Structure formats: C-alpha cells, structure tokens
Amino acid sequence: MSGGEVAGILVAVFWAILVSFIALVLVRLAQTLRAATRLVDDISEQAVPLLADASATVRSANTQLARVDSITADVQEVTANASALSSTVSSAFGGPLVKVAAFGYGVRRAMGRKTEPEPRSTVFVGRAVDKKLPSARLGGRRTRGKG
C-alpha cells in the first residue's frame, strides 16, 4: 500500500465517523423537537381553559366592583342625610337645652348657697393650705436679699 491509499482510507474512515456523528446529532435534535412540540400542545390545551376561567373571573370582579360602587354611593348619600339630620336636631334642640341646663345650674347654685361663703384653700403637693398663709407661701413674688 502506498501513502496515497493509506491517506484515502483515513479520509474515508474520518468521513464515516463524521457522518455517523452528524446523524446522531440530527436524531437527538428530532427527538428534542418532538418533545418540545408535545410540550407546546399540552400547554396550549391547559392554557385555553385557564384563559377562559381568568376571563370569567375578571367579568365577575367587574360586576362586584360595580355593586360596590353603587353601595358606596348609597352609603355616601345616607351619611350626608345623617349629617343634615344631626345639624337640624342640634340647631333645633341644642340652644334651648343649653339654656335649660344653665337655668337649672343657676337654680341649684342659688338654692345651695349659704349665707357665708367657705374660705378658699389652695393645694400644694397633696395638702390643702388656707388663704391665711403669707403671700410668699401662696406663690407670690419673693424678694431675696433685698429686705
């Protein structure tokens, strides 16, 4: 065998190995593409019902929000009516009731008043002190060192 024949055999073996390797890669790629296709089909089968459910949920939430909006408007109207009623009652009965209460207080004070008023006392840290103490002890101004 000559050198050219050996080189030809080596090239043929190399090409056979290369073609086998490429064929193996193509087979694996075909399997991967089939698995990806199945995965996309499964996801599509599951996604369509999920999207339908999500759409129904959004419609239901929109309906509930419309109800809440109408309830909020009704509550706002009731609050305004209660405020107006409170203002009306306060203006109608508040003034006369305050006057009656002040009159009753005055009558009680007049009936309970004695001939001689009680002396007022001041409280210093938990004890009562009569007004007969010097002004310095009652908190008046003191002069120190100026006699």
Side-chain angles (χ1 to χ4, degrees):
M1 264 206 225
S2 69
E5 292 175 351
V6 171
I9 291 175
L10 286 176
V11 168
V13 168
F14 173 74
W15 279 109
I17 292 173
L18 181 65
V19 167
S20 298
F21 179 72
I22 290 174
L24 182 65
V25 168
L26 288 175
V27 167
R28 298 281 182 177
L29 182 62
Q31 288 175 352
T32 304
L33 288 175
R34 269 188 247 121
T37 303
R38 268 187 260 124
L39 182 64
V40 168
D41 288 342
D42 291 343
I43 288 173
S44 296
E45 288 175 8
Q46 293 175 2
V48 171
L50 286 176
L51 289 175
D53 289 345
S55 177
T57 303
V58 168
R59 271 188 248 116
S60 174
N62 191 22
T63 304
Q64 295 299 326
L65 284 175
R67 288 181 186 169
V68 167
D69 189 34
S70 67
I71 290 170
T72 304
D74 292 342
V75 167
Q76 186 177 11
E77 185 179 336
V78 167
T79 303
N81 290 341
S83 176
L85 180 64
S86 173
S87 298
T88 303
V89 168
S90 175
S91 65
F93 296 114
L97 284 178
V98 169
K99 290 177 183 176
V100 166
F103 179 75
Y105 178 73
V107 168
R108 277 196 315 265
R109 287 280 303 226
M111 297 298 283
R113 180 170 260 168
K114 296 179 184 175
T115 57
E116 194 175 306
E118 293 182 19
R120 291 186 66 179
S121 60
T122 307
V123 176
F124 283 116
V125 190
R127 63 183 183 153
V129 178
D130 293 332
K131 288 280 189 179
K132 297 175 185 171
L133 291 176
S135 64
R137 295 192 81 194
L138 289 177
R141 186 175 183 141
R142 293 172 59 179
T143 56
R144 292 188 181 176
K146 293 185 179 181

